[in-house]
């Protein structure tokens, strides 16, 4: 049997504040740019492995701030999405992409079937199981959570600048997104915030929302933040302040229905 992770790699998934009393569980699928030891550099330069193709810069930091302020649980992936993108199902080509934006990923083109399955079994499955177990236990305790997945995106994609600053994404269940967007567009608008931008369901980015939210009947939303806004501690704190308000008001509006 082909093995991927070594003892030095550690666990593929991390859970923080599991006993949090808040309603929200924050999920960060693209939290890290670390590559498992046996995959080396995947044939990429250090510059490529530091860029947005390998992870979502700033997303974990903002998720941690929100988890602390809302007393929510945070579950995140500890390896680069280039090793396995946990927001994609195993059958998706994008789960282990050959190309990301303008970068070829040589280490993914050279996988055998056994090596591909090892990434599914040792990265995706533990991540999936951790979230599924958390949701099951919360529902069994009569405390069904609200699912919020945290992401960031590059301000320039394929050479084209993006004006949108915050995306509020949803799939079939738009309840939480609707309330958040209604709150965000009242009075002074702090950011250019849009529904299902810069990505949407047609781009295949709602796997986690469907798998853990929609299929469990849980309110859910995916938040995308333009990463130039959260490059440092100040930007991360400002964004967390803003999102804390949107999420708190959105969850309160759901409870009042």
């Amino acid at each position: 049997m082909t093995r991927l992770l070594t003892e030095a790699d550690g666990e593929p998934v991390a859970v923080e504040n599991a006993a949090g009393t808040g309603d929200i569980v924050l999920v960060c699928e693209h939290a890290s740019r670390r590559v498992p030891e046996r995959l080396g550099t995947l044939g990429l330069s250090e510059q490529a492995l530091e860029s947005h193709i390998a992870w979502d810069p700033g997303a974990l930091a903002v998720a941690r701030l929100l988890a602390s302020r809302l007393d929510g649980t945070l579950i995140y992936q500890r390896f680069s999405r280039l090793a396995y993108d946990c927001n994609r199902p195993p059958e998706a080509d994008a789960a282990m992409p050959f190309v990301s934006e303008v970068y070829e990923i040589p280490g993914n083109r050279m996988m055998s079937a056994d090596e591909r399955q090892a990434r599914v079994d040792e990265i995706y499955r533990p991540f999936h199981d951790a979230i599924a177990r958390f949701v099951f236990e919360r529902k069994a305790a009569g405390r069904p959570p609200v699912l919020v997945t945290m992401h960031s995106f590059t301000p320039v994609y394929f050479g084209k600048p993006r004006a949108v600053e915050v995306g509020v994404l949803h799939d079939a269940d738009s309840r939480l997104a609707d309330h958040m967007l209604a709150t965000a567009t009242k009075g002074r608008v702090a950011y250019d915030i849009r529904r299902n931008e810069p990505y949407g369901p047609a781009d295949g980015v709602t796997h986690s929302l469907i798998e853990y939210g929609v299929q469990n009947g849980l309110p859910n939303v995916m938040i995308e933040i333009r990463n130039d806004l959260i490059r440092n501690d100040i930007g991360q704190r400002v964004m967390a302040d803003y999102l804390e308000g949107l999420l708190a008001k959105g969850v309160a509006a759901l409870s009042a229905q």
Side-chain angles (χ1 to χ4, degrees), residues 7 33 60 73 109 211-212 232 246 249 256:
E7 185 176 345
R33 64 185 186 87
L60 178 60
T73 297
R109 285 195 180 276
E211 191 76 11
Y212 314 116
N232 55 40
L246 289 189
K249 290 176 181 177

Side-chain angles (χ1 to χ4, degrees), residues 179-203:
H179 288 305
M180 290 175 64
L181 287 164
T183 297
T185 54
K186 286 180 182 176
R188 186 181 71 86
V189 178
Y191 294 100
D192 185 334
I193 183 167
R194 307 183 192 181
R195 183 190 300 270
N196 282 339
E197 289 193 36
Y199 309 105
D203 300 303

Side-chain angles (χ1 to χ4, degrees), residues 91-111:
E91 65 272 14
D93 290 340
M96 292 159 269
F98 294 165
V99 179
S100 182
E101 195 182 0
V102 298
Y103 293 91
E104 294 273 343
I105 318 297
N108 287 354
R109 285 195 180 276
M110 298 185 292
M111 280 185 295

Side-chain angles (χ1 to χ4, degrees), residues 107-179:
N108 287 354
R109 285 195 180 276
M110 298 185 292
M111 280 185 295
S112 68
D114 284 348
E115 289 168 338
R116 183 181 181 90
Q117 189 60 46
R119 298 197 199 183
V120 174
D121 293 342
E122 297 181 48
I123 298 179
Y124 176 75
R125 294 295 177 204
F127 184 77
H128 167 90
D129 291 347
I131 301 172
R133 183 167 54 251
F134 178 85
V135 169
F136 175 82
E137 290 173 354
R138 277 293 190 89
K139 289 180 73 176
R143 297 176 54 208
V146 175
L147 174 72
V148 179
T149 67
M150 297 295 303
H151 295 260
S152 71
F153 63 94
T154 179
V156 179
Y157 190 60
F158 282 103
K160 184 177 179 180
R162 289 159 152 172
V164 59
E165 294 177 312
V166 178
V168 177
L169 284 61
H170 61 83
D171 201 275
D173 181 356
S174 68
R175 290 175 293 167
L176 181 52
D178 291 343
H179 288 305

Side-chain angles (χ1 to χ4, degrees), residues 203-253:
D203 300 303
V205 300
T206 55
H207 171 66
S208 292
L209 295 187
I210 295 169
E211 191 76 11
Y212 314 116
V214 175
Q215 292 185 3
N216 285 289
L218 304 178
N220 60 89
V221 71
M222 176 176 172
I223 297 174
E224 283 273 8
I225 308 163
R226 207 174 67 195
N227 68 32
D228 60 319
L229 301 174
I230 51 173
R231 283 179 178 158
N232 55 40
D233 290 346
I234 294 173
Q236 291 157 10
R237 288 196 297 270
V238 169
M239 184 59 68
D241 286 343
Y242 176 67
L243 294 175
E244 179 187 2
L246 289 189
L247 285 167
K249 290 176 181 177
V251 171

